[in-house]
Amino acid sequence: LVLILIASNRIATKTFTSCSAHSSVTWDEVELPQPQKHRNHVQHQRNHVQHSRNHPPISRRDAEAPQGRSTTTTERIKNHVLQKYDKGSYPWDFAWAQTSENPSQYHYQKGLTVELGINFHRVYNVDVANSVIDLVVLIRQRWVDPRLTWNPSEYNDTSTLWFWIEGGSGPGCDASEIWTPDLELWNLKESLSTSLGDAYAVVKHDGTVIWSRTGRLKPVCKFRGLEEFPFDTLGCTIEIGSWAFSGLYLHPKRMDGTGFSFRPTVTIGASYSEFTLVKVSSEEHIYPEFWQEEDWPVIKYHIQLKRAWQFYARGYLVLQIALNVVAFCCFWIPPHSGERMMLSVLALLSVITSSLTLSSSLPKSGGVTWFRNFGFVSIIFPLLVVFESAMVVHFYYCTDDDLVPLWYKKMSKLRNKRRNIVLEKR
């Protein structure tokens, strides 16, 4: 409608000018805009944007190339490398030839080298009671697949491709395009195939594959240092290796010599959190041969988590000391006042409730911790106060002639009677 109004204004102006010059211009001579062509042009642009989202760029050089060239090149390369590609297996002969001193002999054969690197982003959660930690990480793997090679000069100097991988390691699901090594978290709470997201793998023309995934790392830990709770620094060891393939087929290595990193980003780390990742170390370990004379190499990550103790100091330690002081204040209240027993019992119940509330965050084990010793002592003091207050009130209202209990008098009479019987027999 806007275009029609503008055209009408221009036509009216032209007609007025022509009439002034004694020339006539009719409406039939004017070509009006065509809305259908405009809508077709907009729909064509939308289809082009949707096609760009569904197909990632191949390389910087191809991205700058004319439209249509990168897609054609990609299809040609993928048809070439995936023509007889089996994503359910790997050519182990190639791995043995590249990494072994004597590939013909079984004992000298070594598996495919898979470099592993973990970028620790932040500590998401630590469940001490169930011995589970939850880490936000970026896991990167790098290996060489000789079947994914091509000559860049034959494909418009294209040296990089992206292959989709879905469903975890190994052959993955039907949507996966290439094979991936079987690396799994040994002490797992949740498998890496479900805790990490699906992503593209970057493949170079020489067969180098780099597969980066973001997600969560959820191992079951054997915590160290918990006996100093809440002033503890927890230690946990994470083991990553192959589930199905021994060192004869897969040999994980630490990427860049360390196997981990802390890439500085705006969102890395955490504020106002209970635990902070303070130290990470890694080592390559080989478990001895225990099945078919094959070893099992793994990578161990030793992490240390520092706990923020200020919350427990303010909310528990200071509170327990204050409740014990309140319990001892019962000694200043007269025995005939009922508030004496009420205050002592209330202090005891408050101490027990506070201890039980905080104990729920610790594992139910037989291990002795500093916190449990402190909680036991803090319960003993108000318990003694209740016992002392009960004795004072009893003796205050006692109306007997003496302070000897009745049960003690009966026991004394029975003992004297037995003694007299023994003397009479003699």
Side-chain angles (χ1 to χ4, degrees):
L1 292 177
V2 174
L3 292 176
I4 292 174
L5 291 175
I6 295 175
S8 302
N9 187 20
R10 291 183 178 180
I11 292 172
T13 304
K14 184 176 180 180
T15 304
F16 177 78
T17 305
S18 300
C19 292
S20 302
H22 303 284
S23 63
S24 61
V25 178
T26 63
W27 285 95
D28 296 333
E29 297 176 359
V30 180
E31 182 179 1
L32 297 178
Q34 301 181 13
Q36 182 64 31
K37 291 184 179 180
H38 176 70
R39 288 196 294 269
N40 293 338
H41 178 68
V42 173
Q43 183 64 30
H44 176 72
Q45 289 183 341
R46 292 178 178 176
N47 295 336
H48 177 69
V49 172
Q50 184 67 25
H51 177 78
S52 302
R53 292 177 178 176
N54 296 333
H55 297 80
I58 303 306
S59 64
R60 180 176 297 179
R61 177 164 183 165
D62 290 333
E64 298 174 355
Q67 183 179 0
R69 169 187 160 183
S70 61
T71 305
T72 304
T73 304
T74 304
E75 294 176 353
R76 289 173 54 199
I77 297 177
K78 288 192 173 183
N79 291 334
H80 168 68
V81 300
L82 299 180
Q83 184 176 6
K84 297 181 179 180
Y85 189 88
D86 183 12
K87 64 179 182 180
S89 62
Y90 184 86
W92 303 114
D93 295 337
F94 169 81
W96 295 334
Q98 296 294 323
T99 61
S100 304
E101 299 177 358
N102 190 354
S104 60
Q105 296 186 13
Y106 172 81
H107 292 286
Y108 289 96
Q109 294 174 350
K110 296 181 180 180
L112 170 67
T113 299
V114 181
E115 297 182 75
L116 177 65
I118 301 179
N119 180 34
F120 293 92
H121 192 74
R122 61 160 294 179
V123 180
Y124 187 80
N125 185 31
V126 177
D127 188 356
V128 180
N130 296 317
S131 301
V132 177
I133 64 174
D134 190 350
L135 304 172
V136 180
V137 297
L138 166 65
I139 294 184
R140 177 166 296 175
Q141 301 178 32
R142 181 167 57 197
W143 68 94
V144 176
D145 194 335
R147 300 169 294 179
L148 301 176
T149 58
W150 67 91
N151 188 357
S153 61
E154 299 178 359
Y155 299 96
N156 298 327
D157 293 334
T158 301
S159 60
T160 305
L161 284 181
W162 279 260
F163 289 84
W164 179 252
I165 300 175
E166 183 176 341
S169 58
C173 63
D174 296 336
S176 298
E177 297 181 287
I178 61 175
W179 175 88
T180 54
D182 172 40
L183 290 185
E184 184 58 274
L185 184 64
W186 278 28
N187 53 330
L188 77 165
K189 167 65 175 178
E190 184 178 349
S191 175
L192 296 181
S193 60
T194 57
S195 63
L196 298 178
D198 302 323
Y200 283 95
V202 182
V203 180
K204 303 294 183 180
H205 66 92
D206 58 353
T208 303
V209 183
I210 302 175
W211 188 26
S212 302
R213 293 177 293 169
T214 58
R216 311 271 276 277
L217 197 63
K218 299 180 180 180
V220 178
C221 297
K222 182 181 179 181
F223 285 126
R224 302 180 299 271
L226 190 59
E227 60 274 2
E228 299 296 332
F229 174 86
F231 307 101
D232 54 341
T233 299
L234 294 180
C236 176
T237 298
I238 302 173
E239 289 184 303
I240 298 180
S242 176
W243 266 137
F245 299 98
S246 64
L248 179 63
Y249 301 96
L250 289 181
H251 198 87
K253 292 285 186 180
R254 293 177 294 177
M255 185 178 292
D256 300 330
T258 59
F260 65 91
S261 62
F262 297 94
R263 301 290 174 84
T265 60
V266 178
T267 58
I268 195 172
S271 58
Y272 301 99
S273 61
E274 182 179 357
F275 289 93
T276 305
L277 188 62
V278 294
K279 184 179 180 181
V280 178
S281 62
S282 63
E283 64 171 323
E284 297 175 1
H285 180 76
I286 297 179
Y287 283 97
E289 303 171 352
F290 59 91
W291 185 69
Q292 294 185 356
E293 299 182 355
E294 297 176 6
D295 55 11
W296 294 83
V298 298
I299 298 179
K300 292 184 178 182
Y301 291 91
H302 307 285
I303 64 176
Q304 293 185 3
L305 307 173
K306 181 65 177 178
R307 188 194 302 267
W309 55 268
Q310 291 82 358
F311 168 79
Y312 298 95
R314 294 190 300 264
Y316 178 75
L317 300 180
V318 176
L319 178 62
Q320 294 292 83
I321 296 174
L323 291 175
N324 278 266
V325 173
V326 170
F328 283 109
C329 292
C330 296
F331 298 151
W332 296 335
I333 301 178
H336 61 271
S337 177
E339 286 77 8
R340 175 167 183 151
M341 286 298 303
M342 184 184 301
L343 181 59
S344 60
V345 173
L346 182 61
L348 176 61
L349 294 178
S350 300
V351 170
I352 294 176
T353 303
S354 179
S355 299
L356 292 178
T357 302
L358 198 56
S359 297
S360 61
S361 61
L362 294 177
K364 299 176 178 60
S365 62
V368 179
T369 63
W370 180 90
F371 164 77
R372 288 176 177 171
N373 294 333
F374 180 84
F376 178 76
V377 174
S378 62
I379 293 177
I380 290 296
F381 283 113
L383 188 62
L384 293 176
V385 170
V386 172
F387 181 74
E388 187 273 341
S389 298
M391 290 183 60
V392 169
V393 173
H394 170 73
F395 291 127
Y396 180 80
Y397 288 102
C398 183
T399 58
D400 296 336
D401 297 335
D402 52 25
L403 298 179
V404 180
L406 182 61
W407 58 269
Y408 185 77
K409 292 180 180 180
K410 292 181 179 180
M411 290 184 62
S412 298
K413 290 181 179 180
L414 182 60
R415 185 172 52 185
N416 293 332
K417 183 182 297 186
R418 290 181 179 178
R419 183 182 301 175
N420 294 332
I421 294 174
V422 172
L423 294 175
E424 289 177 358
K425 289 182 179 181
R426 291 182 181 179

